[in-house]
Amino acid sequence: MRLLGFFARTLEDADVRKMLAVQGDAMLGLGDDRSKLDTLPRDLRGMAIVVAVQDHGKPAFEAVERQLRGQPDAELRWDLLFALGSTRDPRLAERARQLLLEPDFLRKGEISWVLDMQATIPAGRKALRQWIDLNFDALKTKLAPVDARLVKAYAAGMCSRGDIDELQRKFGLRVKTMEGGALTLQQLSESIRLCEAKLAVRRGQVPALAAP
């Protein structure tokens, strides 16, 4: 299964992804309107649904949304949410974020799964950060007491001193009302410093040591 994931996600092998997308479509009921989410092992099921959403776009995304609205099984919901957050289409990514604020659409704790997945997609991070900033208060209320994960999602991919300054501007005051928020901000800032230093070494530069 790991080898299949390597070919699908890392190498993005066209044949492997085509096979997985077809299986994902079938599980989501595309074509015959009969969902078959329980027909594959969980590891393969989740991967197939993700690839279907990424490669087949809106029809697969909307099928995932429909499945989530009536799905009671926690493991199946996890796979569907993982796929919802994995879309590479900016318009669908925005739709996924809108769903996070829809009353009663998601269970307690599920919002962070989608945010965490979107944070792994470099091309979508700017839009994600803007959305988190704009909807911070509503998201904080929904995520508490794990609302510090908002800071982690915002910081994904940051690797410069300027990024640290941005985090401090955006969250320096906000973290004071988050459980573990100040520590999270401190740890993220240190991780970003280390990232910048490693990048400088790879470029043959001598990194400047900055005080925390």
Side-chain angles (χ1 to χ4, degrees):
M1 200 65 67
R2 289 182 180 178
L3 183 60
L4 187 64
F6 176 74
F7 272 87
R9 291 191 290 260
T10 304
L11 298 182
E12 300 220 358
D13 182 273
D15 291 334
V16 172
R17 290 185 68 88
K18 181 178 179 180
M19 177 269 293
L20 287 170
V22 168
Q23 291 182 325
D25 285 350
M27 283 188 290
L28 291 170
L30 295 178
D32 60 10
D33 294 325
R34 291 197 302 274
S35 171
K36 307 175 185 68
L37 287 174
D38 58 352
T39 58
L40 289 175
R42 182 180 178 185
D43 288 347
L44 183 56
R45 178 183 69 209
M47 199 184 314
I49 299 172
V50 165
V51 174
V53 168
Q54 290 179 341
D55 291 7
H56 292 171
K58 188 175 180 179
F61 182 94
E62 290 180 342
V64 166
E65 181 181 337
R66 287 194 299 272
Q67 291 288 338
L68 271 169
R69 292 191 182 279
Q71 182 54 250
D73 184 272
E75 287 191 352
L76 289 174
R77 289 184 65 84
W78 193 93
D79 290 335
L80 292 165
L81 287 163
F82 191 80
L84 197 76
S86 296
T87 179
R88 297 167 179 171
D89 184 316
R91 291 170 297 182
L92 296 179
E94 176 61 26
R95 171 60 182 164
R97 291 191 290 272
Q98 291 172 356
L99 290 171
L100 303 188
L101 297 177
E102 182 179 310
D104 303 321
F105 178 66
L106 297 181
R107 298 173 180 175
K108 186 75 171 178
E110 291 182 340
I111 291 175
S112 59
W113 297 356
V114 179
L115 291 176
D116 291 347
M117 281 309 305
Q118 288 205 348
T120 67
I121 302 173
R125 284 173 181 156
K126 181 179 179 180
L128 175 62
R129 289 169 185 157
Q130 291 173 341
W131 185 82
I132 288 174
D133 189 32
L134 183 64
N135 297 280
F136 178 82
D137 291 338
L139 289 166
K140 182 179 183 299
T141 299
K142 282 179 170 287
L143 280 169
V146 293
D147 42 356
R149 294 184 70 165
L150 287 171
V151 190
K152 292 182 179 180
Y154 191 99
M158 287 186 162
C159 193
S160 73
R161 201 158 308 169
D163 290 332
I164 295 174
D165 292 341
E166 180 181 344
L167 273 186
Q168 292 293 338
R169 286 196 307 271
K170 295 292 184 182
F171 297 101
L173 293 177
R174 287 168 167 173
V175 296
K176 293 181 179 181
T177 60
M178 293 178 173
E179 185 172 328
L183 178 60
T184 296
L185 183 59
Q186 179 184 346
Q187 291 173 335
L188 287 169
S189 297
E190 182 59 29
S191 294
I192 294 170
R193 288 190 187 95
L194 290 174
C195 177
E196 184 181 42
K198 290 177 181 177
L199 186 60
V201 170
R202 286 200 295 270
R203 291 173 175 171
Q205 302 169 346
V206 178
L209 297 179

